Amino acid sequence: MSFLDRFLIISVVLVASVFPVELFPNTGPVPRGGDGQFSGKQGQVVVVAIPELKDATSVKGRFLGRTVTLFPNPAAGGMGYIGLLGIDLQDEPGAHELTVDAQLGEQGRHFSYQVLVVKEKFSVEHLKLPKDKVDLDEKSAARWKAEQEQVRKALAEESAMRLWHTGFIEPVHGKRTGIFGSVRIMNGQPRNPHNGEDIGAPMGTDVMASNDGVVRLVVDHIFSGRGIFVDHGLGLYSMYFHLSDVLVNEGDLIKAGQVIGKVGATGRATGPHLHWGMKVNGARVNPYALLELPFPQNPATARPVFAAPSLLAPEESNPTAAGSDTR
Ligand SMILES: [Zn+2]
């Protein structure tokens, strides 16, 4: 039994003891959530596994209107399917259903899981600023809208092939600010939550790709400045913003650890830092969640994770000290 299997069985047993739902019904159609439970906090990534499934032609999950693609578990010798379920930072806390449909030749199999979304405590900051510092003028507002649409279109198509492998890399060794998910309320109006993590580092510091992928978009946007969007396949994207330099082109195949740009302060930034974001099937997740995935160690694919313990020191969690976005 692999580490992942053990982990999941322990997780399911632990959750099952909290939620009195019958895990293995004897007969009849699968009741809602009857195949088991998963749980995770807002902004986290849950590894979903169906250990008993084999030789499927396609395995697709649906969760809160998003599609989750499952793939054969590389660590299980042809048995079982796994997938990454991203929990958006604004997904409603509570129990939701994850349905999975597997195609096995002519036959189909349907699974239903209960996913418990646990509320995360994100910080809220109230600011009062002069009106012209907060509201975009008409021209800037139109530009921002067009940029949002450009990103939406580029990320709507996902690569059907998985390019990422276990062992994600922190793209910059620097001061992690811990402001993922935080909300700024400016003059009483809530802004979009901060959908990534800011890492403070000197101007010109190397920015590495977090994993293998294809460069889907290179931009120069009003808020994010010079930025790179990397498609890692199966709906997983990483983003790198406020760069001073971009060293790749759209369509380039890149490797984990490859230097793709340099830290800067382009766009709306108070100082040099990297804004690092991750999207899993459309869900905005904390990129550091990818570094902590409970995958089994596979020497063929594992890579070092450069997360220095000092980055998590609580006294260093002041975002403005390291430079951050002003969104
Ligand atoms: Zn940021």
Side-chain angles (χ1 to χ4, degrees):
M1 193 186 284
S2 74
F3 168 79
L4 183 64
D5 289 344
R6 273 203 304 271
F7 172 82
L8 288 164
I9 287 168
I10 290 165
S11 308
V12 168
V13 169
L14 285 176
V15 176
S17 61
V18 180
F19 300 99
V21 176
E22 196 186 351
L23 281 181
F24 304 105
N26 296 325
T27 52
V30 177
R32 241 174 99 90
D35 284 309
Q37 283 91 17
F38 298 101
S39 76
K41 278 187 171 178
Q42 291 171 316
Q44 292 298 308
V45 179
V46 176
V47 179
V48 172
I50 308 182
E52 69 270 29
L53 202 56
K54 204 184 165 186
D55 299 330
T57 44
S58 101
V59 186
K60 292 266 183 203
R62 292 286 290 170
F63 179 71
L64 295 174
R66 306 192 289 267
T67 302
V68 182
T69 305
L70 283 84
F71 54 91
N73 184 356
M79 258 317 265
Y81 279 72
I82 59 173
L84 300 184
L85 174 68
I87 299 181
D88 189 83
L89 56 93
Q90 287 187 310
D91 277 348
E92 198 65 41
H96 304 280
E97 189 184 23
L98 164 70
T99 58
V100 179
D101 284 289
Q103 206 56 46
L104 302 138
E106 300 281 282
Q107 274 190 327
R109 272 189 80 183
H110 182 78
F111 301 86
S112 171
Y113 301 90
Q114 192 186 67
V115 179
L116 185 70
V117 174
V118 179
K119 193 170 171 55
E120 178 64 282
K121 263 194 176 170
F122 297 121
S123 68
V124 179
E125 201 183 345
H126 290 266
L127 297 172
K128 216 164 165 54
L129 294 168
K131 199 172 156 29
D132 61 328
K133 290 266 182 220
V134 175
D135 297 328
L136 290 176
D137 60 54
E138 214 169 287
K139 203 174 146 208
S140 302
R143 177 182 162 189
W144 177 73
K145 226 179 141 184
E147 290 171 354
Q148 297 280 97
E149 184 56 19
Q150 181 196 16
V151 170
R152 195 195 60 76
K153 267 194 188 150
L155 271 57
E157 283 175 41
E158 61 182 59
S159 301
M161 213 165 82
R162 180 173 64 92
L163 300 172
W164 62 268
H165 47 75
T166 55
F168 285 80
I169 289 172
E170 188 182 37
V172 164
H173 315 313
K175 197 183 286 176
R176 178 180 168 183
T177 53
I179 61 168
F180 174 81
S182 66
V183 179
R184 277 188 174 163
I185 299 177
M186 293 193 187
N187 300 347
Q189 291 187 349
R191 301 271 133 175
N192 285 332
H194 192 256
N195 58 12
E197 189 62 281
D198 288 346
I199 309 170
M203 187 72 80
T205 304
D206 286 347
V207 174
M208 295 176 288
S210 183
N211 214 313
D212 295 0
V214 179
V215 176
R216 195 54 72 201
L217 205 56
V218 173
V219 299
D220 191 351
H221 281 173
I222 189 164
F223 284 117
S224 21
R226 301 185 72 188
I228 304 171
F229 293 77
V230 179
D231 180 353
H232 300 286
L234 302 185
L236 181 69
Y237 284 90
S238 62
M239 287 137 250
Y240 312 83
F241 295 162
H242 309 301
L243 305 170
S244 60
D245 233 329
V246 171
L247 306 175
V248 289
N249 296 304
E250 287 176 6
D252 283 0
L253 262 174
I254 52 167
K255 293 304 243 180
Q258 184 178 332
V259 178
I260 56 173
K262 302 279 183 181
V263 167
T266 55
R268 299 271 174 110
T270 59
H273 74 282
L274 175 74
H275 172 107
W276 177 33
M278 280 271 187
K279 266 191 174 181
V280 179
N281 302 111
R284 300 159 295 174
V285 302
N286 188 331
Y288 282 90
L290 276 305
L291 268 53
E292 293 151 10
L293 286 179
F295 280 125
Q297 282 301 306
N298 181 344
T301 54
R303 281 163 185 273
V305 173
F306 304 110
S310 64
L311 298 179
L312 298 165
E315 69 270 20
E316 291 183 348
S317 68
N318 179 2
T320 46
S324 66
D325 317 336
T326 55
R327 264 169 286 187

